Each structure stands twice: as C-alpha cells, then as structure tokens.
C-alpha cells in the first residue's frame, strides 16, 4: 500500500479494503493533524495524523517500523503515524485532542499496529535522552543483544496516558523480526503497510 506504487494497482488494493475516498498523508514526522470534513479531503497533505466525524471517509497512515495508532471515540475516528520524532513532537496527544474538538469523543480507545519493538530497535543515546525528556524514562530499553534501545510502544503508551486514553489494544507484532511485515530498518523494504480507519457509511 505504499503511495508511490503503480496507481491502478494501488487504487484496486485500496478499494478492496475500503471502497471509499482515502485520505493519505505525506508523512513528515511532525504533529500536524488534519480534520477531514468530506471523504478524501486533505489527500496528500503534509501531516502525520487525520481525524474525521464523517462516515465514508477512509483515513490512512503508512508505516514500515513506525507505530500506526488508531483512535476511536463516539462518532469519531483518527489515525496517527508515530515515529520517535512525531512522538517527541506530541502527535498522539494532538490527535486525541483533535478528536475531542470535532466530537466530543467521549471515551477514546486506541489500537496499535505492527511496529518495530524494543528488542530490535537499537537507538543512539542522545536521541534516547531526547525522547525520555518528553515521555519519561519508561521509553528506555535494551535490544535482544543488550544495546540501548527505544521502546516505541512504551512511548506511545505514555503519550496516550497523557491524553487520557487508557484502553489500548496491541497485538505485539514486530515489523523487524516478523517477516510478514515491511521493515525499513531491518530490510530496507520499500513496501508499506497501512492502518486504515473509517466510520461506516450510513
Ligand atoms: Zn523484533
């Protein structure tokens, strides 16, 4: 589902998942959230998250190690692309806040998709300090070989907690050592998986 692929093939794959206009994003590792007011709005915008209260509007983020986060509340849904830079910039909290603005969202539930897990994510000490300064020392971990590592899902969990979201579903899949997923870091894969969320058309 990488957005650079052959257009007809991509369109067919999207249709098979959600036959409706898609909002995909030029992800820039920031914290900008777009509010989708009609199906397909903001497609190709420079942003890392999208929210909507409009049925029939598919929202997608594309990943190959970063964390795809889906947030759902009362009559609202959102997706966020959360790598370490976006997490440090507050993309998860911004997405939850945007849901409340277009809602009220009520109790928000989160789902985390496949991403690189701490055992596979060796991380430079300086950047680790930067993330820990924002989201706490719980983001510090070690790889399976004992090197300093970033625990991305712990970082997402801390950001969600800060946003008041406590219900988090996570199947635990690792993109780096789980071969059914694309991984930029482990294999330089050019493919991307997508997390797609929408409200059923009425
Ligand atoms: Zn792994």
């Amino acid at each position: 589902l990488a957005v650079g692929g052959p257009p007809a093939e991509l369109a067919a794959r999207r249709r098979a998942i959600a036959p409706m206009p898609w909002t995909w994003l030029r992800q820039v590792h920031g914290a900008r959230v777009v509010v989708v007011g009609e199906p397909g709005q903001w497609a190709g915008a420079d942003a890392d998250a999208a929210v909507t209260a409009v049925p029939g509007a598919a929202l997608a983020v594309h990943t190959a190690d970063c964390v795809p986060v889906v947030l759902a509340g009362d009559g609202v849904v959102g997706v966020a692309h959360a790598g370490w830079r976006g997490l440090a910039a507050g993309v998860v909290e911004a997405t939850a806040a945007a849901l409340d603005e277009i809602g009220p969202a009520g109790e928000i539930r989160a789902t985390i998709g496949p991403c690189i897990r701490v055992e596979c994510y060796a991380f430079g000490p300086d950047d680790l300090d930067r993330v820990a300064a924002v989201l706490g020392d719980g983001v510090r971990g070690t790889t399976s070989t004992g090197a300093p590592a970033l625990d991305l899902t712990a970082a997402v969990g801390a950001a969600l907690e800060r946003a008041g979201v406590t219900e988090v579903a996570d199947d635990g899949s690792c993109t780096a050592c789980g071969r059914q997923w694309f991984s930029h870091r482990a294999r330089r894969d050019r493919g991307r998986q997508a997390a797609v969320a929408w409200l059923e058309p009425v």
Side-chain angles (χ1 to χ4, degrees):
L1 288 157
V3 291
E9 201 174 303
L10 181 58
R13 287 182 181 179
R14 285 176 171 170
R15 228 173 7 252
I17 295 167
M20 58 187 75
W22 282 40
T23 295
W24 56 277
L25 304 167
R26 283 185 219 283
Q27 300 166 176
V28 291
H29 298 278
R32 182 181 174 215
V33 185
V34 294
V35 176
V36 174
E38 58 186 75
Q41 189 183 11
W42 295 112
D46 288 345
D48 288 276
V51 297
T52 194
V54 178
L59 313 179
V61 288
H62 296 76
T63 59
D65 293 333
C66 288
V67 190
V69 183
V70 177
L71 298 177
D74 295 340
V76 292
V77 71
V79 296
H81 159 251
W84 73 270
R85 286 189 179 83
L87 283 163
V91 69
V92 169
E93 297 93 318
T95 309
L99 284 179
D100 267 328
E101 269 171 42
I102 64 170
E107 188 129 333
I108 297 173
R109 301 171 309 281
T111 301
I112 290 174
C115 59
I116 192 166
R117 304 286 167 163
V118 63
E119 79 272 7
C120 290
Y121 199 16
F123 212 71
D126 291 349
D127 288 337
L128 199 49
D129 287 346
R130 279 175 63 186
V131 184
V134 179
L135 291 166
D137 283 329
V139 306
R140 297 178 191 275
T142 48
T143 65
S144 49
T145 56
L150 173 61
D151 190 334
L152 265 184
T153 50
V156 172
L160 286 170
E161 200 177 310
R162 198 177 277 187
V165 180
T166 53
E167 196 183 324
V168 185
D170 176 5
D171 78 349
S173 299
C174 180
T175 47
C177 58
R179 292 305 177 99
Q180 71 271 46
W181 306 109
F182 295 113
S183 174
H184 170 71
R185 190 177 169 103
R187 292 176 292 280
R188 299 278 159 210
D189 288 332
R190 296 178 65 183
R192 296 289 180 269
Q193 43 265 344
V196 193
W198 65 92
L199 300 167
E200 284 296 338
V202 283

